[in-house]
Amino acid sequence: MSPRTTLPPQKMRTANPLKQMIAEALDRQLLCYAQTNASFTIPELRDHLLNVPELASVDNIKLRLVVRDRLRTLERHNLIEQIGVRGANRRLFKMNLPEPPAEAAPRPNPPNPSTAPPPAAQELLTYLDEERHRLRTEMHATLSEAEYYRRALTKS
């Protein structure tokens, strides 16, 4: 069962808008790579995020680590795959999205392509949103447990 079906959505007590902006910008860039079927490396993603005006002041090492962690998660779920190495031992990745099922009959009213993402991109966006929610829930559980133990230790 997914955490979304077992736990109610929680509001972030310590909302970090910077982390949210990084996650959203990273998801948008990954969707662009998925749509164009282009390969990429961790430093390329990091450099692209550093070009976003809101993220220009973020430490590049921290940003690289966030990108690396996200790609590891996606790799565990077989949404990206390593296809080689570029340059100085930089792993080269490519999006590995499943093909959308072929429909027997055409849609009566196709969505406007400029407003709706392609099905594969929408699927990735949904997955990334669910993964973010799951990680957020795990973080809250861990923080609550740490707070519980901190209080228990201070009472002793």
Side-chain angles (χ1 to χ4, degrees), residues 2 4 11 17 22 48-49 55 57 60 71 74-75 92 108 112 123 136-137 146 151 154:
S2 73
R4 184 170 284 212
K11 291 184 180 178
I22 292 170
H48 175 77
L49 294 178
L55 302 176
S57 63
N60 65 349
L71 292 183
L74 293 175
E75 195 170 25
L92 190 61
N112 184 354
E123 190 175 302
R136 199 174 275 161
T137 303
R151 287 183 184 164
T154 56

Side-chain angles (χ1 to χ4, degrees), residues 90-116:
R90 293 182 177 162
R91 297 184 336 165
L92 190 61
F93 296 98
K94 194 167 192 175
M95 296 302 296
N96 187 24
L97 296 177
E99 292 295 322
E103 295 181 27
R107 295 181 189 169
N109 292 325
N112 184 354
S114 64
T115 59

Side-chain angles (χ1 to χ4, degrees), residues 31-149:
L31 284 173
C32 290
Y33 284 127
Q35 290 171 349
T36 60
N37 203 23
S39 58
F40 54 91
T41 63
I42 292 173
E44 287 173 358
L45 272 173
R46 178 208 54 206
D47 293 344
H48 175 77
L49 294 178
L50 285 171
N51 289 332
V52 174
E54 296 86 16
L55 302 176
S57 63
V58 177
D59 179 37
N60 65 349
I61 294 172
K62 179 180 178 182
L63 202 53
R64 181 182 58 80
L65 295 175
V66 169
V67 170
R68 181 204 62 191
D69 293 343
R70 179 53 126 189
L71 292 183
R72 282 183 180 168
T73 300
L74 293 175
E75 195 170 25
R76 264 195 324 264
H77 294 284
N78 295 324
L79 291 174
I80 65 169
E81 63 180 324
Q82 182 179 346
I83 59 171
V85 177
R86 180 184 293 166
N89 296 328
R90 293 182 177 162
R91 297 184 336 165
L92 190 61
F93 296 98
K94 194 167 192 175
M95 296 302 296
N96 187 24
L97 296 177
E99 292 295 322
E103 295 181 27
R107 295 181 189 169
N109 292 325
N112 184 354
S114 64
T115 59
Q122 183 62 38
E123 190 175 302
L124 176 63
L125 187 59
T126 303
Y127 167 78
L128 293 174
D129 186 47
E130 289 173 356
E131 181 69 11
R132 187 176 321 147
H133 181 325
R134 183 187 67 76
L135 292 172
R136 199 174 275 161
T137 303
E138 285 179 18
M139 177 192 68
H140 282 294
T142 304
L143 288 174
S144 296
E145 185 178 0
E147 181 66 21
Y148 169 79
Y149 286 122

